[in-house]
Amino acid sequence: MGLEKGLPSRQEQRAYRPTARAFLIVFSFLCSYFVVNHLVLNHLHRGAPKHHVCHESPRPPIRRYQGEKIEWVACGNVEDHELECSNITVPMDHFNASNNAPDNKSFTIPLLRLRSTNATAKTNILINPGGPGGSGTQLVYRRGSQLSAIVGDTFHLVGFDPRGINQSRPLAACYPTEEARRAMSTVRNKKIAEDSGELWAWTTNLVRGCADTMSLHGAYINTPQTAADMNSILDALGQDDMYYWGFSYGTILGQTYATLFPDRAKRVIIDGVGNQFDWYEERFDREMMMDTDAVLKGFVEECIKAGKEDCPLADMAETKEDLFVDLVGKINRLQYDPIGVYVNSSMHGVLDFWTVWYNGVFPSLYKPATWRDLARNLDLLLRGNATEAFLAYGLERAWEDTSDEALEFVANNDGVSGPNNWGFDRFDLVHELVGFFNKSLFDEELFEFYFSKAAWAIPRTHKYKPKRGVKTAHPLLLLSTTYDPVCPLVSALGANNAFEGSRLVEVKGYGHCSLAVPSMCIARHVRDFLLEGKLPENNVQCEADGKPYFAKPEESLALLEAQELNNEERRIRLAQLDLARDSWLGPWR
């Protein structure tokens, strides 16, 4: 599923309405609030903040609301919505208080609330963007306005950074300092056989560093504890019922919460659904990339339909079958013949297969609205002009933030990990992985992750087991595309069978999570569910609206203008178009 540790690409950053400077201003308020309450400084030795440095400043005025047990400070605005910042402290172990002794070990969880413009709104919806490693506070700041347009003005949106992630403290880290991370985090990991010796030795050190750096806290950075943290957030908000919208890995968190605390699961939406049974109980997630190649084939098929004016790659072949073979074959040659790209004396490098395939093609499968850009860059590359592809994919992994190891902690602490559960030497592990990776053209993206899972040195502390036949306070709403590159439809159907009365709404199309393609039908189901608890009588399909593939941005807006939409529908559609292009869900890392 999408490991949303991501920042947008440089091109996408220019399209954002909130500026980077505004982002820093918002979170400087949050930092100030933490500092005044002495909650961050207690843990700074465990790792620097992720995206900025906090400096002590005068405390902003405190806001309190009737029924809530939490204090807020105003920390800016996004479009017409006010933002409020706060934090809560949660026990290190919710399920056995004796493990928190002798000094009440805890985590600090930051909160960012986007207030509804409706003064009578009372209910808060918790948001999780996935990962593990995604920041809910960042998502609410960056795209809370668009999500609010979809859910309606009856609700506030609350983003939180799960324990160990982003501004939460202590931060999940396998290195004591950023300098140590920069010095020791590089390893060759492209070729599964040739690079396995170095990666095996490097990973052995990495997992020891994870255990040593985090000490006792490290074992409690897991999804069941985060689910219990969500109850602590609800209690602080004075809200009994869980209203939640989780994406990608956020669906694992949502399923875990609904299983552990079914009586509070009143309005739970899981979108881009992962298989929690594989996540917790299997060495390999065998469903995860079941449809990844199908999405690539969809890219090729839609390219042929669009024609060479909108998709220049269509000029390479007459049929979708020929184009698929030709495209994959030519990109694959870069394994043996990488391209040197020189822009100027301060900007040059090498464009190889792994850069194009995993920094360019794979992330674009998440967002079909970016397929036009991908096709243009690949066409130029295959015609001998590699500059645009290098600028887009070769300079940086813009969606990958390497300032923490949240993925390793959460995924490995949740699942079947460590030598006692794997028992492989390097050669056996490589043999197992080669067989497993033959299922998709993109499976080797998981190469390094499975090495860390096999070597993980922190013991599993949770006792959570997924269940079937779970009856919740109100049935869940499940959302999916037909072809999701990392959370296939079959996983959503599995969750549908696990939770009594749940319903699946499928938007017919490609991409990761329902918001990958605009659909007014999806928006109506989300609103009906959140407002009234209304679910369809059976699982249903929704059509994608407009021209979701290979459309120019101005074409999408022209199609919008041509439709007879009221103001509210227009607001929803504009929000969906923004979300469809944004990289707020980044690729598995």
Side-chain angles (χ1 to χ4, degrees):
M1 65 203 62
L3 278 129
E4 291 73 57
K5 300 173 73 172
L7 297 174
S9 67
R10 288 176 175 175
Q11 181 179 4
E12 290 168 326
Q13 283 174 340
R14 290 194 292 269
Y16 287 166
R17 293 177 187 172
T19 64
R21 183 170 180 268
F23 180 81
L24 293 178
I25 291 172
V26 169
F27 279 94
S28 70
F29 280 105
L30 185 58
C31 288
S32 298
Y33 191 68
F34 283 169
V35 170
V36 170
N37 285 278
H38 305 291
L39 294 172
V40 168
L41 291 179
N42 291 337
H43 301 297
L44 284 180
H45 68 283
R46 298 195 181 274
K50 202 167 189 179
H51 299 301
H52 60 282
V53 177
C54 299
H55 299 286
E56 188 165 0
S57 58
R59 182 173 182 168
I62 292 173
R63 295 181 175 186
R64 298 182 180 90
Y65 297 94
Q66 186 175 0
E68 296 190 352
K69 304 170 185 176
I70 190 172
E71 297 177 346
W72 299 89
V73 293
C75 52
N77 296 272
V78 173
E79 296 188 3
D80 55 344
H81 294 273
E82 280 191 299
L83 295 174
E84 297 175 326
C85 297
S86 189
N87 64 77
I88 63 170
T89 299
V90 297
M92 184 180 74
D93 187 352
H94 283 277
F95 306 109
N96 186 345
S98 65
N99 290 328
N100 303 320
D103 52 354
N104 294 320
K105 295 179 181 65
S106 63
F107 285 89
T108 300
I109 308 297
L111 309 176
L112 180 66
R113 178 158 66 183
L114 182 140
R115 293 194 64 82
S116 169
T117 56
N118 182 347
T120 64
K122 300 291 184 184
T123 305
N124 300 275
I125 302 176
L126 272 60
I127 302 291
N128 183 278
S135 165
T137 57
Q138 284 190 48
L139 175 58
V140 166
Y141 177 73
R142 286 172 46 177
R143 288 306 184 193
S145 180
Q146 286 76 20
L147 292 173
S148 180
I150 294 172
V151 303
D153 62 2
T154 306
F155 306 99
H156 308 303
L157 296 182
V158 176
F160 64 99
D161 288 348
R163 55 173 59 203
I165 292 167
N166 194 42
Q167 285 297 322
S168 172
R169 291 294 179 269
L171 180 68
C174 297
Y175 304 92
T177 64
E178 285 300 306
E179 292 74 17
R181 180 177 285 106
R182 285 192 292 269
M184 295 186 287
S185 63
T186 301
V187 62
R188 287 185 298 179
N189 61 356
K190 293 179 177 179
K191 298 181 179 180
I192 185 169
E194 294 90 331
D195 295 342
S196 65
E198 180 176 329
L199 181 59
W200 180 267
W202 177 87
T203 303
T204 302
N205 291 333
L206 171 73
V207 299
R208 291 181 65 182
C210 298
D212 288 347
T213 301
M214 294 305 297
S215 188
L216 292 176
H217 282 84
Y220 298 92
I221 299 174
N222 60 48
T223 302
Q225 294 287 351
T226 297
D229 292 341
M230 290 164 62
N231 273 345
S232 297
I233 296 171
L234 278 192
D235 293 342
L237 295 170
Q239 183 170 315
D240 293 329
D241 298 326
M242 175 60 71
Y243 281 63
Y244 174 80
W245 193 352
F247 303 90
S248 195
Y249 159 78
T251 69
I252 300 294
L253 177 58
Q255 291 173 80
T256 304
Y257 181 88
T259 303
L260 285 173
F261 310 108
D263 293 342
R264 298 188 79 169
K266 187 72 172 290
R267 298 284 190 275
V268 173
I269 303 175
I270 52 176
D271 190 343
V273 184
N275 183 327
Q276 67 159 334
F277 296 92
D278 279 0
W279 179 263
Y280 283 109
E281 298 181 332
E282 301 294 333
R283 289 193 186 111
F284 298 103
D285 190 334
R286 300 187 182 277
E287 282 185 4
M288 177 180 164
M289 303 186 84
M290 183 176 290
D291 286 341
T292 315
D293 293 6
V295 182
L296 179 61
K297 290 176 180 177
F299 164 75
V300 169
E301 180 176 357
E302 294 297 334
C303 176
I304 292 291
K305 288 180 183 178
K308 62 183 179 181
E309 181 178 344
D310 288 324
C311 181
L313 287 173
D315 201 31
M316 288 174 53
E318 295 292 327
T319 68
K320 62 183 181 181
E321 292 82 7
D322 288 344
L323 179 56
F324 182 85
V325 172
D326 200 17
L327 180 64
V328 172
K330 287 181 176 179
I331 295 176
N332 193 57
R333 290 175 197 167
L334 292 173
Q335 290 192 56
Y336 315 102
D337 293 305
I339 300 172
V341 181
Y342 186 90
V343 179
N344 54 47
S345 60
S346 60
M347 188 181 298
H348 52 80
V350 173
L351 199 62
D352 62 16
F353 164 78
W354 295 273
T355 303
V356 174
W357 199 243
Y358 292 113
N359 292 9
V361 177
F362 182 52
S364 295
L365 301 184
Y366 283 54
K367 292 289 181 182
T370 68
W371 284 1
R372 185 183 184 90
D373 299 329
L374 175 67
R376 175 180 176 274
N377 291 335
L378 292 180
D379 180 66
L380 289 171
L381 170 65
L382 299 179
R383 294 181 188 278
N385 180 357
T387 302
E388 292 301 317
F390 175 73
L391 293 175
Y393 316 131
L395 288 179
E396 59 181 341
R397 292 173 129 175
W399 46 82
E400 182 179 16
D401 189 334
T402 57
S403 62
D404 68 49
E405 285 73 41
L407 161 63
E408 286 80 4
F409 277 95
V410 178
N412 293 336
N413 283 342
D414 279 1
V416 178
S417 61
N420 290 338
N421 290 310
W422 285 67
F424 296 155
D425 62 17
R426 172 168 66 96
F427 300 101
D428 288 340
L429 178 59
V430 169
H431 177 76
E432 288 286 323
L433 291 176
V434 167
F436 176 62
F437 288 164
N438 282 334
K439 294 177 175 59
S440 168
L441 293 168
F442 296 90
D443 274 330
E444 290 188 10
E445 172 73 350
L446 306 174
F447 176 28
E448 184 178 324
F449 167 71
Y450 279 118
F451 267 59
S452 76
K453 190 172 184 181
W456 194 241
I458 297 175
R460 183 173 179 172
T461 60
H462 74 82
K463 298 180 180 179
Y464 176 78
K465 289 186 177 298
K467 298 178 182 177
R468 292 179 173 85
V470 177
K471 185 175 182 180
T472 50
H474 191 83
L476 277 62
L477 173 62
L478 285 57
L479 306 178
S480 178
T481 59
T482 305
Y483 297 102
D484 188 305
V486 287
C487 292
L489 185 61
V490 66
S491 296
L493 290 169
N496 186 201
N497 290 328
F499 291 93
E500 288 189 11
S502 63
R503 292 291 181 267
L504 170 62
V505 179
E506 169 198 342
V507 56
K508 294 195 288 186
Y510 304 97
H512 186 35
C513 300
S514 70
L515 298 179
V517 286
S519 172
M520 193 65 70
C521 170
I522 284 284
R524 291 192 185 103
H525 280 291
V526 168
R527 282 204 176 189
D528 286 347
F529 176 72
L530 291 173
L531 286 169
E532 304 172 25
K534 184 178 178 182
L535 288 165
E537 291 186 7
N538 300 292
N539 295 343
V540 297
Q541 291 182 319
C542 286
E543 297 290 341
D545 295 332
K547 184 181 175 184
Y549 315 114
F550 295 99
K552 302 182 183 75
E554 57 269 25
E555 284 182 307
S556 297
L557 291 175
L559 285 170
L560 176 63
E561 294 296 337
Q563 293 179 307
E564 294 183 1
L565 301 176
N566 60 38
N567 289 338
E568 189 68 4
E569 290 171 331
R570 178 182 172 81
R571 185 166 173 250
I572 292 171
R573 179 60 54 77
L574 286 170
Q576 289 182 327
L577 289 173
D578 282 347
L579 289 164
R581 283 199 62 84
D582 192 8
S583 65
W584 59 280
L585 288 171
W588 227 102
R589 290 294 176 195

